[in-house]
Amino acid sequence: MTSMSWAEGKPIKGVLLDISGVLRDGHEAIAGSVDAFHKLMKSGLEVRLVTNESQVTRQGSSDTLQSLGYQGVLLENIFAPAPLLAKELLKHGHRPHLLVHPKVKPEFDAVIDQISQSEGETDPTCVVIADAAEYFTYESMNTAFRILLSMQQKGLDPKLFTLGRGRYYKENGLLWMDVGPFVTALEYGLDIKAELFGKPSPVFFHTALSSLSSDGEISADEVVMIGDDIIGDVQGAMDAGMRGVLVRTGKFRPEDENHPTIKPSGIVDNLASAVDMILRGCNTN
């Protein structure tokens, strides 16, 4: 797809970038992405990084990007589902059972501190699931299952929160199962529906949009999302009223270009191509 249509028309004022598959692949920067990122940062456009990564904190993501040559990455400009969910848990006083990777647990420190300072009930009131990687075991899944089942047996609403619904992701040249299949297993086993706090949730995209312009000067149709996930990145953004552009890097597969129901606003080879089109489009408006 070579059409400039997605980068032309209504001016683009904000850009959302996925991290894994767009900026980096494992522990390596994707070719051309570092320079493209710096071009974008110098363009005057509002830029935010939005990720469903849940094996690491935002600080960890920032440190990794800095080590790969990405300069100017501010922690407050990285949007991940864990901090968003942590705020929700604090707001409602939930006591979560965390089925998450140990490296992301620091995002929930304030929640754990609140629980430790409270008196009374200590049993979990919800289960939080994320990409726990090697910590997904038969035992850990059954523990989460039994906690939710116990809530059902007590006549309570078994709350299951997930930081993503991805089917797979690419790391170090290989595809790995993401959190989605494990969420589905708990949903099926208990006949419940998990509440999503990551992409493609509209709440997640609207939170990132709000950060682009607190006074509402930037509207959803003036924002483009660039990602390698046809569902989480592209469909999620388009459902939120944004432009969704798919890159042929990361976990992209050729069949994504002919998805039966999702038609991206644009498909490009990589971030460098997307940024060039965005900046050319800005110069024609």
Side-chain angles (χ1 to χ4, degrees):
M1 181 178 293
T2 58
S3 171
M4 282 277 292
S5 60
W6 66 267
E8 298 175 332
K10 193 162 188 178
I12 293 172
K13 297 182 180 179
V15 181
L16 304 181
L17 300 177
D18 189 17
I19 294 179
S20 179
V22 175
L23 300 181
R24 66 170 184 83
D25 186 351
H27 298 291
E28 295 183 359
I30 293 175
S33 289
V34 174
D35 288 342
F37 175 78
H38 292 148
K39 276 187 190 178
L40 202 54
M41 295 296 288
K42 294 176 182 177
S43 69
L45 298 174
E46 292 290 339
V47 181
R48 300 291 185 271
L49 306 184
V50 293
T51 178
N52 264 12
E53 290 181 0
S54 56
Q55 289 187 26
V56 65
T57 61
R58 287 173 300 161
Q59 185 63 60
S61 291
S62 176
D63 292 345
T64 297
L65 291 174
Q66 297 276 359
S67 72
L68 295 178
Y70 292 95
Q71 303 302 316
V73 177
L74 301 178
L75 197 62
E76 59 266 29
N77 289 340
I78 298 178
F79 286 81
L84 186 64
L85 176 55
K87 290 180 181 178
E88 187 73 9
L89 297 176
L90 284 169
K91 177 181 176 181
H92 295 284
H94 278 301
R95 299 185 300 274
H97 169 75
L98 299 175
L99 178 49
V100 303
H101 197 282
K103 288 184 178 179
V104 84
K105 282 187 176 180
E107 297 283 18
F108 296 94
D109 280 350
V111 180
I112 303 304
D113 288 344
Q114 178 175 273
I115 294 171
S116 65
Q117 294 170 14
S118 64
E119 299 179 357
E121 289 288 336
T122 58
D123 290 343
T125 58
C126 64
V127 168
V128 172
I129 186 171
D131 180 16
E134 66 270 26
Y135 297 92
F136 275 134
T137 65
Y138 194 60
E139 180 181 0
S140 67
M141 285 291 290
N142 264 316
T143 297
F145 169 77
R146 292 181 186 122
I147 289 171
L148 292 166
L149 180 62
S150 176
M151 294 179 198
Q152 280 187 332
Q153 292 172 336
K154 294 176 181 177
L156 303 174
D157 180 20
K159 291 189 176 296
L160 173 62
F161 299 113
T162 179
L163 301 188
R165 291 202 70 97
R167 295 175 180 175
Y168 55 87
Y169 59 93
K170 188 177 181 182
E171 190 84 3
N172 300 322
L174 297 173
L175 294 180
W176 303 79
M177 282 181 66
D178 205 342
V179 65
F182 298 95
V183 175
T184 301
L186 291 174
E187 288 178 324
Y188 180 76
L190 294 149
D191 193 23
I192 61 175
K193 187 68 176 177
E195 187 172 346
L196 174 64
F197 274 79
K199 297 179 291 185
S201 165
V203 173
F204 185 83
F205 281 100
H206 290 151
T207 300
L209 174 63
S210 296
S211 83
L212 291 171
S213 173
S214 59
D215 55 9
E217 287 185 358
I218 298 179
S219 59
D221 60 355
E222 295 173 318
V223 176
V224 59
M225 169 72 207
I226 301 172
D228 67 328
D229 189 322
I230 187 73
I231 297 174
D233 296 325
V234 174
Q235 183 180 41
M238 295 176 73
D239 285 347
M242 304 174 186
R243 284 169 254 192
V245 173
L246 182 68
V247 290
R248 297 186 181 99
T249 55
K251 69 178 182 182
F252 166 85
R253 296 189 299 174
E255 52 264 40
D256 291 339
E257 296 197 35
N258 299 302
H259 194 281
T261 60
I262 305 171
K263 306 302 177 187
S265 305
I267 302 176
V268 296
D269 286 337
N270 48 38
L271 177 61
S273 297
V275 170
D276 285 346
M277 293 175 72
I278 289 170
L279 298 184
R280 288 204 304 273
C282 289
N283 290 333
T284 62
N285 287 300

